[in-house]
Amino acid sequence: MQDHKAWLRSLIVDFLETDVNRMGVHFGDEKMWDTPLVGFASGADDLFKKYKSPEVCGVEHWTPAEAFGKAYPESDFTEDELTVVSWVLPQTEKTKASMRELTHWPSERWCRARVLGEPINELLREHMVTTLKNAGYEVVAPVLHPDWTRLENPRQVITSRWSERHAAHAAGLGTFGFDDALITPVGKAHRLGSIIIRLKVEPDPRPYTDIHAYCLYYSKGTCLACVKRCTPGALNREGHDKLKCRAFLRGPSTDYTKENFGLDGYGCGMCQIAVPCESGIPK
């Protein structure tokens, strides 16, 4: 019997070993992303229904069945036939090292990973969908579906119809930090992606019950190193001001990235580097 979990994981890992995953220009063949982590969640997991709460992602956030139904409206399927395959693309050690001594503006490596690295993540999503469809499976990458969009939520301020962070949390890959980034076994300097496939795969256990279990502030009342690192002051003891964060990213950060590195986008990530959860789960 085929080990579907190992097969799906190998498709993701092997893709990141190709020439697609490169920094380019004067960084040459240096990898954009390090070896990915992969996790699995059942489409019938009740956690996805809890995400529809106004306190989490909101009622417009899709469950796996809703996202899958968008792609296959005529398909007769049940929730427990679906598996969410989630991955973490970690920043490389060189990229993280380039940021640790900086205190205001990001490095060129970091900006390239943000502006040019996410398109690699999109290619990975497309690769998974195409490969699995060719193998005879029904599959969708929710954030690539034309109905996916970002949303304004009165409670969470900024959310979307499918949150890659919440999918990864459901798949046992991590918990949320004070800055809302996902703290994983390889830290929180990363990008995330996922697909939903009509294939029953044993879900990975979640080694936590609290959505903030790995954050030192929520678990111990200590740390807040990310607050001290936040360039625009969008993090403070009251929480994460997402609107202030977004205004900085779309304004000064975008200008800096274009003027200094010729990249059309933004980079920041200060709250993800030189903190206890940068490269792993803090002790």
Side-chain angles (χ1 to χ4, degrees):
M1 180 179 178
Q2 184 176 10
D3 185 344
H4 290 111
K5 186 177 285 190
W7 173 55
L8 291 165
R9 183 179 285 109
S10 70
L11 291 177
I12 296 166
V13 173
D14 291 349
F15 181 83
L16 272 297
E17 291 297 324
T18 67
D19 289 341
V20 170
N21 184 32
R22 296 293 182 266
M23 289 287 265
V25 295
H26 44 277
F27 298 110
D29 287 338
E30 183 180 323
K31 283 186 177 182
M32 183 75 79
W33 302 113
D34 212 337
T35 304
L37 299 183
V38 183
F40 302 85
S42 169
D45 195 318
D46 284 340
L47 195 54
F48 290 108
K49 296 181 179 66
K50 294 178 181 178
Y51 290 162
K52 295 178 79 69
S53 164
E55 288 76 20
V56 188
C57 296
V59 67
E60 293 185 77
H61 187 270
W62 292 333
T63 64
E66 288 170 334
F68 188 83
K70 290 284 182 180
Y72 299 96
E74 305 302 321
S75 182
D76 183 19
F77 66 91
T78 58
E79 286 183 334
D80 64 346
E81 291 180 89
L82 304 178
T83 296
V84 176
V85 185
S86 176
W87 57 81
V88 180
L89 305 184
Q91 297 279 10
T92 66
E93 178 55 31
K94 285 185 177 180
T95 297
K96 290 185 288 186
S98 73
M99 289 280 286
R100 290 189 189 116
E101 301 304 316
L102 304 179
T103 58
H104 195 82
W105 298 110
S107 68
E108 182 177 358
R109 272 191 173 91
W110 187 275
C111 291
R112 291 188 72 80
R114 179 62 187 86
V115 178
L116 303 178
E118 180 56 26
I120 294 173
N121 196 14
E122 291 185 4
L123 288 174
L124 173 56
R125 293 183 183 101
E126 292 170 358
H127 167 74
M128 292 298 290
V129 169
T130 300
T131 301
L132 293 170
K133 280 184 176 180
N134 288 342
Y137 294 96
E138 294 175 327
V139 59
V140 61
V143 303
L144 297 184
H145 192 277
D147 287 348
W148 180 88
T149 185
R150 290 182 176 84
L151 303 167
E152 301 292 329
N153 179 307
R155 281 290 185 75
Q156 296 301 320
V157 185
I158 303 168
T159 182
S160 71
R161 288 209 166 107
W162 180 262
S163 166
E164 299 287 25
R165 290 175 302 143
H166 287 79
H169 174 73
L173 290 172
T175 75
F176 291 81
F178 188 78
D179 60 352
D180 294 316
L182 197 76
I183 302 171
T184 76
V186 293
K188 64 177 180 179
H190 55 63
R191 299 295 292 172
L192 302 169
S194 66
I195 59 164
I196 303 167
I197 183 171
R198 188 177 181 181
L199 172 67
K200 190 176 290 190
V201 176
E202 183 69 22
D204 288 335
R206 285 193 289 271
Y208 42 75
T209 56
D210 186 340
I211 199 167
H212 295 117
Y214 296 159
C215 178
L216 291 176
Y217 174 75
Y218 287 111
S219 63
K220 302 291 184 182
T222 61
C223 195
L224 290 182
C226 57
V227 172
K228 300 172 187 176
R229 293 276 296 169
C230 182
T231 299
L235 291 172
N236 57 56
R237 288 187 175 273
E238 302 303 314
H240 181 193
D241 186 336
K242 294 183 180 180
L243 295 179
K244 191 172 187 178
C245 179
R246 182 171 66 178
F248 173 76
L249 294 176
R250 292 183 175 179
S253 182
T254 296
D255 294 341
Y256 177 85
T257 302
K258 187 163 189 175
E259 290 168 8
N260 288 272
F261 310 126
L263 297 170
D264 189 13
Y266 62 79
C268 185
M270 287 295 172
C271 62
Q272 298 176 25
I273 299 294
V275 293
C277 51
E278 172 201 293
S279 299
I281 301 166
K283 303 290 184 182

